[in-house]
Structures are given as C-alpha cells and as structure tokens.
Amino acid sequence: MKSDQAAVISELHTLRDFMRWALSEFSRHQVFFGHGHAEAWDEASQLVLNAVDLPWDTNPAVLDGRLTQAEKARVVDFVSQRTLERKPLPYITGEAWFMGLPFNVDERVLIPRSPVAELIAAGFEPWLRPGPVNRILDLCTGSGCIGIACAYAFEEAEVDLADISTDALEVAQANIARHALEDRVRACQGDLFAAVEGETYDLIVSNPPYVDADDLASMPEEYGHEPALALGSGPDGLDITRRILQMAAQHLTPEGLLVVEVGNSEVHLMQSLPELPLVWVELEQGGNGIFVITAEELRAHADLL
C-alpha cells in the first residue's frame, strides 16, 4: 500500500488529478455514501478540497493548480481513511452541514442528516400552535444541530440540548460556542428528561436512537464509526421512543408539541400503538418516520402508554 501511495504522490499533480483518483478509489473499494453526499463525485471533490484547506465552492479554475508534496500526502491520507478505514467524510474533515449551518463533529456524535430539517425550515407548521415559542428542548441532541437550528428559526426562544452522553455534550457545547448562542442555548446532561427535571417546553424535538436489531446488524461499515449508544434501541428500535412518549406530557406546556423521528421503526410503532393519534409527516425532501403529537393528545391517551 505504501508503494501505491508513493506512486500516486509522484504521478498525480493537480486537484483535478486527485479528485479523479479519489473517485476511482471509492469505486474500487465500494464505499457507502450516506453521511454527506449521495454522489461519489461530490464527495471526492469535497474530500480533496478540504484536505488542502479550500472551501467546497472554490473557483473551478483552481482545480488545475498543482499540489505541494505535503498537500498530496494529506489528500492520500484522507482517501485512505475514507476507503480503507471506511470512515465517513465528516469524521475525516471534522465538520458537517445541517440546514446550511456548519457543525463540529467527531466520533462522539452522530453525523447530522435528520429530515427534521424540513420541519424546522417550515417553523413546524401547521402542527405547532400559533404564537411565540419561548422554550424548546432538543432531546437526545448529539452534536446539537437540531436544537441550534431551532434557535436560528425561533430567534426569541431559549433552547435546551439534552443528552445522556457527556462526550456528545462536549461536542454540542463547542457548537453552541461556534454559533455564539451561549445566551439562549444550553447543554444539559442526563437520561432523557432527567436532564431537564421540572422544566416545560412549547416544543420538544427528538431524534433518539431508533435502529432496530436487524437493521443494526446489517448496516454498512461506515456506521460502525458512529456511537452505538446513538443508534440502536432494542429489538424493534423503540425502547427509548416509548419512554419519551410516556414522559413527554409532563414536560410540555398545555398547547405544546412533541416531534420525534423514528425512521424505519415507524412500522413497529404503528403496529404497537395503533390507537395513539400520531400524525406521520409527509416529507417533500425525502426521508420518513417523523411523527408529531400534541401535549393534549398525549394526556388524553396516557392509558395507552
């Protein structure tokens, strides 16, 4: 492998050369794309540009510029991490984008990719009651991307980011600082609502662990770099979601709203709680498995939970 890398460094010269080579390596090693770009060329471009400290929207004229030996070595290292170690691109670059916002990420947190972004952009209409939103909880926050995006969408709201993982909250705290939101956003550690005991919110949003045992066992290697604590949730993927449903009403204002993503475990939830009036969101931008339910409905159907 070292001899192959030496040949690459010797024979390739421009950014365009290395992008083409990265594309070939992706194909040769059959890497999985699911943590950033759906297209191999887009991922190859971002990987190479990031390795030489250039932004993704760099002027295309730069692509024929020659690299230094040190830059070539860094590109080769990045491609090696992506293909041989199967490390997702955001973990290599240390950054992911969510709703057009940059976030610090590493292997302590999931890589942001939630379709909840579509609901945030719409202000959670038509499900969220009219009027000001004063307090928001991002439960199982990970990197903090959902809660921080909500802070941008609701400029007057105070936002709590809750997670059981102290490692994840270190990343979330770094993202709070990165977006200069310390005055409105705080990180809270604890097991689900134990992190915010006694607090109530107009809006609770959660992207909890929801992968069922079968899906967890068959996931591509890239997912092995993400924290297991943030992925699996029992045989049907709903262990944590059931707990959220049982406790959420206590932490919602009378007209509050709960929004939860459960992905492919949607089918399991519909089968196990068929009488619970969950509204399943139809997503225009792709994705599935997001439900909404009001505090009033949760309280009215507490016997089902």
Side-chain angles (χ1 to χ4, degrees):
M1 182 63 190
K2 287 185 178 180
S3 61
D4 293 342
Q5 292 179 354
V8 167
I9 291 172
S10 172
E11 296 172 13
L12 302 184
H13 303 291
T14 69
L15 284 166
R16 198 184 304 274
D17 289 342
F18 278 93
M19 289 176 183
R20 196 283 308 156
W21 171 71
L23 193 64
S24 294
E25 289 295 289
F26 291 170
S27 177
R28 184 173 297 115
H29 293 277
Q30 298 184 321
V31 299
F32 173 80
F33 303 104
H35 294 91
H37 299 287
E39 300 294 332
W41 174 253
D42 292 336
E43 182 139 336
S45 300
Q46 185 176 348
L47 184 149
V48 173
L49 288 172
N50 195 282
V52 298
D53 299 315
L54 289 175
W56 64 269
D57 56 353
T58 292
N59 189 319
V62 175
L63 299 184
D64 292 314
R66 295 168 68 91
L67 278 62
T68 67
Q69 291 297 104
E71 288 173 332
K72 291 180 181 182
R74 192 160 190 246
V75 172
V76 169
D77 176 59
F78 275 28
V79 173
S80 176
Q81 290 184 61
R82 185 69 187 90
T83 58
L84 300 183
E85 299 177 30
R86 295 302 177 96
K87 188 179 291 187
L89 176 61
Y91 287 154
I92 299 171
T93 64
E95 183 177 79
W97 290 74
F98 182 74
M99 289 195 65
L101 301 169
F103 291 91
N104 298 346
V105 294
D106 59 34
E107 294 186 29
R108 293 174 291 177
V109 296
L110 288 185
I111 295 166
R113 54 184 178 273
S114 173
V116 167
E118 184 176 322
L119 280 69
I120 300 172
F124 293 93
E125 294 182 354
W127 304 284
L128 186 62
R129 57 103 179 100
V133 175
N134 298 312
R135 304 202 67 211
I136 300 172
L137 172 63
D138 176 6
L139 191 63
C140 305
T141 190
S143 66
C145 64
I146 288 176
I148 289 171
C150 286
Y152 277 95
F154 300 92
E155 296 181 354
E156 302 303 318
E158 294 182 351
V159 181
D160 286 345
L161 312 179
D163 206 292
I164 193 173
S165 168
T166 55
D167 286 341
L169 289 176
E170 288 180 6
V171 179
Q173 190 64 55
N175 283 318
I176 293 171
R178 178 170 186 170
H179 292 274
L181 287 169
E182 294 94 336
D183 60 331
R184 291 197 295 124
V185 182
R186 65 171 181 164
C188 309
Q189 192 277 329
D191 184 6
L192 294 181
F193 293 103
V196 290
E197 189 172 353
E199 305 283 356
T200 56
Y201 301 89
D202 302 304
L203 174 65
I204 298 174
V205 187
S206 184
N207 177 16
Y210 60 70
V211 182
D212 66 41
D214 288 342
D215 283 351
L216 195 63
S218 62
M219 294 178 100
E221 289 181 51
E222 280 80 356
Y223 289 95
H225 289 273
E226 294 191 290
L229 182 67
L231 289 171
S233 187
D236 63 359
L238 295 172
D239 285 2
I240 292 175
T241 298
R242 289 191 183 91
R243 293 176 58 205
I244 292 172
L245 286 167
Q246 290 164 1
M247 296 183 285
Q250 304 168 39
H251 296 275
L252 284 166
T253 55
E255 295 182 304
L257 182 72
L258 174 67
V259 180
V260 182
E261 177 182 348
V262 295
N264 291 338
S265 293
E266 171 184 352
V267 175
H268 298 311
L269 186 55
M270 291 182 358
Q271 291 173 342
S272 63
L273 291 170
E275 297 179 24
L276 189 65
L278 303 175
V279 176
W280 294 96
V281 178
E282 293 186 13
L283 297 163
E284 295 181 1
Q285 299 172 19
N288 67 296
I290 296 176
F291 70 78
V292 301
I293 186 169
T294 65
E296 182 179 5
E297 289 167 333
L298 281 171
R299 293 181 180 114
H301 297 83
D303 59 313
L304 298 176
L305 304 170

